[in-house]
Amino acid sequence: ETPLFSAIFTYILLIPLIEEMIFRGFLGIPKNKISVYFIALAGIIGALFYIKVADLLFPVLFIMLLLCYSYLRIGTFQKKVDTFIERYYYPLVILSVLLFAVAHITNYEEYSLATLVALLPRVISGFYLAYIVTKYNIWYAWLMHAVNNALPVVTMLFID
């Protein structure tokens, strides 16, 4: 029972939360400053999960924490970041969608044209989740992402 709970917690709740905060959390920053704390926490957990090269882990964590601290403590930096996000909102959405899709390339054993085609649903869902963040907030996007991840997990439970 414990491995099942662990899988459900990880794939349905934790990974969608980390991915939403990393890839789309910044979209809500100008409206809700508290999200910076969640983004920082998700970034730390995500870095520990996803960064496989040990030499990169510390620099990535240091830069990320420095940026979050600067945003929270330096008013002029915060204003510049907010202005940047507002000015380049749609290009940032496109960039976040592409990074979200590319992050899922590790789900495949080989890289080919078929792999790129297989990433198309991630691109579409990335745009949809960005729309949800824009229209509502990050928590609704997390819920939709969790439901999306729950479908294959529940399917596998019924098959087994």
Side-chain angles (χ1 to χ4, degrees):
E1 297 292 337
T2 303
L4 175 63
F5 175 77
S6 176
I8 289 172
F9 176 77
T10 302
Y11 293 109
I12 296 176
L13 299 175
L14 185 61
I15 289 175
L17 179 61
I18 291 169
E19 289 182 350
E20 288 309 308
M21 287 297 168
I22 290 172
F23 294 110
R24 284 170 281 282
F26 71 91
L27 297 174
I29 286 177
K31 296 181 220 168
N32 181 6
K33 308 290 186 233
I34 194 77
S35 63
V36 173
Y37 293 105
F38 290 107
I39 293 168
L41 181 61
I44 291 168
I45 296 169
L48 294 172
F49 271 149
Y50 295 117
I51 296 179
K52 305 297 184 206
V53 180
D55 292 341
L56 288 178
L57 184 60
F58 179 75
V60 167
L61 288 174
F62 180 77
I63 291 168
M64 183 188 59
L65 291 173
L66 181 64
L67 288 172
C68 289
Y69 178 81
S70 299
Y71 181 83
L72 293 169
R73 294 291 182 196
I74 303 171
T76 54
F77 183 73
Q78 183 182 86
K79 182 130 179 81
K80 286 180 182 183
V81 170
D82 289 352
T83 302
F84 181 83
I85 292 171
E86 289 168 358
R87 179 175 292 155
Y88 299 105
Y89 195 82
Y90 294 107
L92 287 170
V93 166
I94 293 168
L95 180 62
S96 76
V97 166
L98 294 176
L99 290 173
F100 176 70
V102 168
H104 286 85
I105 205 163
T106 59
N107 294 351
Y108 303 95
E109 291 181 20
E110 62 181 57
Y111 306 120
S112 65
L113 182 60
T115 305
L116 292 177
V117 172
L119 291 178
L120 190 58
R122 274 32 174 242
V123 170
I124 293 167
S125 65
F127 277 115
Y128 178 71
L129 293 169
Y131 170 77
I132 296 294
V133 171
T134 302
K135 179 101 170 134
Y136 302 103
N137 64 45
I138 192 73
W139 303 111
Y140 287 98
W142 171 57
L143 178 63
M144 295 304 297
H145 195 151
V147 168
N148 180 68
N149 284 13
L151 295 174
V153 172
V154 170
T155 302
M156 288 188 315
L157 286 175
F158 283 115
I159 290 173
D160 288 343

